Amino acid sequence: MTTQTPIDRPARVLLKLSGEVFGGGAVGVDPDVVKDIAEQIAVAARSGVQIAVVIGGGNFFRGAQLQQKGMDRVRADYMGMLGIVMNCLALQDFLEKEDVDTRVQTAIAMGQVAEPYIPRRAIRHMEKGRVVIFGAGMGMPFFSTDTVAVQRALESRCDVVLVAKSGVDGVYTADPKLDPSATRIDELTYAEAVERDLKVLDQTAFALCAENKLPMVVFGMEGQGNIARALQGERIGTLVSPA
């Protein structure tokens, strides 16, 4: 589609990245993967886009999965938050190797490795051209990183949430892994997504976006330079808009 929208050149964006991607399909951090992601973020940062990042921790721990194995959910979720911080520090390291000033802010106090999460300070960092990475989730159990991404985007006054998916390049009419006839949707509204029962993000994150009229772009991160393209406002994937 060629229609111009307010997010074609966003001033400030929040990028949501999957933790599983950081592991390259295994437990831990794959330096080559993180290096590539950092290089793409650096391209957009140098072009003047203000960038915040939220990363999952699925390459280390998933609270819900640990709970299924008998672990207390609260403790398991806190372990997941620490895994997220490890991903944040890895991304920070590779971004700074690209000469991009970066700050990690965490919802759990850990002063030796990161700043505390302070929204106004995060905004100021971005205004100065620094990439801000939000770690440790919400600092509370039972909240997904999808929800954290939307909440942080709203508090830091981002123009759009960019959701980078692995293995799928947008929102489809059905699960493309199960239904070969499923087709990608280029653009839809939150109301249409609800009416068609499309699974975009978890329900809490989706409701927060819809209620606060925050647009979202869902795209696949496997394509060459897709993260940089999305950060700079190029129309890829699926745009989910308030109206």
Side-chain angles (χ1 to χ4, degrees):
M1 297 181 67
T2 58
T3 303
Q4 295 293 305
T5 74
I7 67 165
D8 281 330
R9 182 62 183 179
R12 183 179 301 155
V13 303
L14 187 135
L15 174 65
K16 166 64 169 63
L17 295 168
S18 162
E20 288 91 337
V21 171
F22 271 53
V27 175
V29 171
D30 183 329
D32 292 332
V33 172
V34 182
K35 180 176 184 291
D36 177 66
I37 292 171
E39 288 172 349
Q40 293 191 60
I41 293 173
V43 168
R46 293 188 196 106
S47 75
V49 181
Q50 297 178 21
I51 303 169
V53 184
V54 168
I55 311 168
N59 53 321
F60 289 109
F61 307 103
R62 278 186 173 275
Q65 292 177 355
L66 291 175
Q67 183 186 31
Q68 292 173 1
K69 299 293 185 179
M71 182 173 285
D72 176 77
R73 175 61 186 269
V74 172
R75 190 164 292 115
D77 276 357
Y78 278 117
M79 290 172 64
M81 294 175 210
L82 298 178
I84 292 169
V85 174
M86 289 191 277
N87 285 337
C88 293
L89 295 177
L91 181 59
Q92 180 184 38
D93 185 73
F94 281 101
L95 279 170
E96 294 191 340
K97 285 180 170 61
E98 293 292 319
D99 294 322
V100 175
D101 285 340
T102 309
R103 297 291 185 272
V104 175
Q105 291 194 348
T106 60
I108 298 173
M110 43 186 76
Q112 288 181 289
V113 297
E115 298 178 358
Y117 170 58
I118 301 174
R120 290 185 64 83
R121 182 182 290 176
I123 291 170
R124 187 64 180 138
H125 285 320
M126 286 187 277
E127 288 173 344
K128 292 182 176 181
R130 299 166 183 153
V131 172
V132 179
I133 310 171
F134 296 121
M138 196 80 76
M140 298 176 287
F142 304 108
F143 287 93
S144 74
T145 48
D146 282 349
T147 300
V148 173
V150 175
Q151 192 276 338
R152 295 295 190 254
L154 290 169
E155 257 198 306
S156 58
R157 301 173 189 167
C158 291
D159 299 314
V160 61
V161 176
L162 305 177
V163 182
K165 293 285 190 179
S166 178
V168 64
D169 61 351
V171 178
Y172 277 72
T173 54
D175 187 339
K177 297 175 183 177
L178 303 176
D179 183 353
S181 67
T183 57
R184 195 185 76 190
I185 304 167
D186 290 331
E187 188 170 336
L188 75 161
T189 67
Y190 288 109
E192 288 169 342
V194 171
E195 181 181 345
R196 298 168 68 173
D197 194 29
L198 300 174
K199 308 302 181 186
V200 184
L201 296 180
D202 74 49
Q203 291 185 353
T204 303
F206 192 77
L208 273 174
C209 273
E211 290 170 9
N212 292 279
K213 297 179 170 52
L214 179 66
M216 174 196 315
V217 175
V218 181
F219 69 99
M221 59 186 299
E222 281 85 359
Q224 182 66 36
N226 268 7
I227 292 175
R229 292 166 61 201
L231 284 169
Q232 294 177 97
E234 187 174 333
R235 291 293 300 276
I236 61 174
T238 300
L239 169 64
V240 189
S241 59

